[in-house]
Amino acid sequence: MADNAKYEEVTNYFKDRMAESKKIAAGRGKDARIAAAAAKKASGVQSWRQMTGFRLMAHEISHVGNRPFMFGFAAVGILGMVAQAKFGVCNTRTSIMIMNSTDDAKANSEYWSTFHGDGKKAAH
């Protein structure tokens, strides 16, 4: 009786192992990878590797460890826009350029008048 129970236990164990091995083997190969990729795409869930632009930026901001970096990035971006608006040369007038007119900046700039203006060096 004990031998039959032991035999059944071992037989069931090997049947389960064989089913698991067949399942693993079915997941290998080119066709299985194509099917898995299609199933992943059909689910609509995107990992960070498929995200781009604002969606990726919003995803990265949501991570607590990235917040100091993102605050620094935003500060540098804002300071860059302020510097561009105040000192930069831009052909279009935008709402960002409220600090200083680019024409005034050109007129008061020794560099601009020397190299881009009338060619005469400004008097000191």
Side-chain angles (χ1 to χ4, degrees):
M1 185 92 156
D3 290 334
N4 278 343
K6 191 77 163 171
Y7 176 77
E8 287 295 322
E9 182 183 349
V10 170
T11 303
N12 288 336
Y13 171 77
F14 282 119
K15 282 181 182 178
D16 292 341
R17 286 292 306 245
M18 182 60 81
E20 186 178 338
S21 294
K22 286 183 179 182
K23 179 182 169 188
I24 291 170
R28 294 184 178 148
K30 184 177 180 180
D31 295 334
R33 284 193 304 272
I34 292 171
K40 185 176 180 182
K41 189 174 183 180
S43 70
V45 177
Q46 285 187 333
S47 74
W48 65 271
R49 292 177 184 259
Q50 285 86 34
M51 293 181 188
T52 57
F54 186 75
R55 195 171 184 183
L56 176 62
M57 189 172 70
H59 173 76
E60 289 298 325
I61 289 172
S62 70
H63 292 287
V64 174
N66 290 345
R67 285 194 183 140
F69 169 76
M70 294 308 294
F71 286 136
F73 186 77
V76 169
I78 290 169
L79 288 174
M81 286 189 344
V82 167
Q84 179 68 29
K86 185 165 181 140
F87 306 112
V89 178
C90 186
N91 291 332
T92 60
R93 304 278 181 173
T94 62
S95 60
I96 295 172
M97 296 187 172
I98 58 174
M99 298 181 113
N100 195 0
S101 171
T102 56
D103 293 333
D104 293 340
K106 286 180 192 178
N108 296 331
S109 170
E110 183 178 341
Y111 170 82
W112 184 265
S113 63
T114 302
F115 297 106
H116 301 284
D118 56 7
K120 297 178 183 171
K121 201 169 198 170
H124 292 284

